């Protein structure tokens, strides 16, 4: 599985640790920056990961900023991206089982690294409940995103 990861300055330290953690486990990691903890604007980095997932250059994305909120808001504007801002393993599990989330947005300031590692493990190892079943209730609900995403695509924004 290929994973694209990025942060802003507030998530930089955890991004380094989480990228190494993923590599140790044999994942292919695309580190989209930043390269240091100088202040940056989180949308610039959320966009890199969201585009990787949207265009299939990565199977999953991981974003880390102060709260995870700003990066999730931005990533969710990109078609085919379903980003979840997660602070517990239970929410990571549900974000996969019910929402088929493909981007995980983490808090580098309010959640400890070890807890984020556990959240990441859960996110990567939990299946979507309706995988291969387009008539299932979760799949049916996600399909309601398609017309909205189609409008964005038709406007030529992506
Ligand atoms: C940066 O100070 C902070 O606003 C950012 O990391 C993030 O938490 C935004 O949602």
């Amino acid at each position: 599985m290929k994973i694209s990861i990025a942060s802003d300055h507030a998530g930089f330290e955890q991004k380094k640790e989480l990228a190494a953690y993923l590599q140790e486990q044999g994942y292919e990691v695309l580190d989209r920056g930043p390269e240091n903890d100088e202040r940056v604007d989180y949308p610039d980095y959320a966009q890199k990961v969201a585009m990787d997932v949207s265009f299939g250059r990565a199977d999953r994305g991981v974003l880390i900023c102060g709260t995870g909120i700003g990066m999730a808001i931005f990533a969710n504007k990109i078609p085919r991206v379903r980003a979840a801002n997660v602070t517990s393993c239970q929410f990571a599990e549900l974000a996969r089982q019910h929402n088929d989330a493909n981007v995980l947005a983490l808090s580098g300031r309010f959640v400890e690294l070890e807890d984020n590692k556990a959240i990441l493990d859960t996110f990567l190892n939990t299946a979507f409940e309706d995988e291969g079943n387009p008539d299932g209730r979760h799949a049916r609900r996600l399909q309601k995103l398609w017309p909205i995403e189609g409008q964005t695509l038709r406007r030529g924004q992506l």
Side-chain angles (χ1 to χ4, degrees):
M1 189 187 286
K2 206 185 275 189
I3 300 174
S4 177
I5 187 168
S7 70
D8 69 355
H9 49 286
F12 174 73
E13 285 303 325
Q14 287 213 18
K15 192 258 293 178
K16 266 194 325 192
E17 300 289 339
L18 292 173
Y21 179 65
L22 288 170
Q23 264 158 354
E24 279 163 27
Q25 291 179 78
Y27 291 104
E28 193 177 336
V29 176
L30 302 171
D31 186 339
R32 298 307 195 193
E35 310 226 315
N36 56 51
D37 64 359
E38 278 168 35
R39 188 165 292 171
V40 291
D41 293 337
Y42 61 79
D44 300 335
Y45 292 89
Q47 182 170 357
K48 291 172 199 275
V49 166
M51 296 294 248
D52 280 342
V53 171
S54 182
F55 287 99
R57 292 189 291 262
D59 303 295
R60 300 275 175 85
V62 179
L63 298 167
I64 313 109
C65 62
T67 57
I69 295 170
M71 290 185 112
I73 288 172
F74 195 88
N76 275 320
K77 300 295 180 194
I78 308 297
R80 297 177 288 271
V81 168
R82 293 175 301 281
N85 182 202
V86 169
T87 55
S88 73
C89 286
Q90 192 178 18
F91 273 34
E93 192 170 44
L94 287 166
R96 287 290 311 134
Q97 287 174 337
H98 289 196
N99 312 114
D100 198 15
N102 51 16
V103 172
L104 179 67
L106 297 170
S107 165
R109 278 188 178 147
F110 299 98
V111 179
E112 296 296 326
L113 176 63
E114 291 309 310
D115 292 332
N116 272 337
K117 282 183 181 174
I119 289 168
L120 182 54
D121 288 341
T122 305
F123 178 75
L124 293 174
N125 292 305
T126 305
F128 177 44
E129 264 179 24
D130 284 342
E131 193 64 60
N133 176 22
D135 299 323
R137 72 184 197 284
H138 301 304
R140 200 185 62 239
R141 290 164 187 164
L142 289 178
Q143 285 158 24
K144 296 191 176 197
L145 278 167
W146 294 355
I148 300 166
E149 293 185 326
Q151 284 167 21
T152 305
L153 292 165
R154 273 194 300 280
R155 280 200 303 266
Q157 291 172 339
L158 271 177

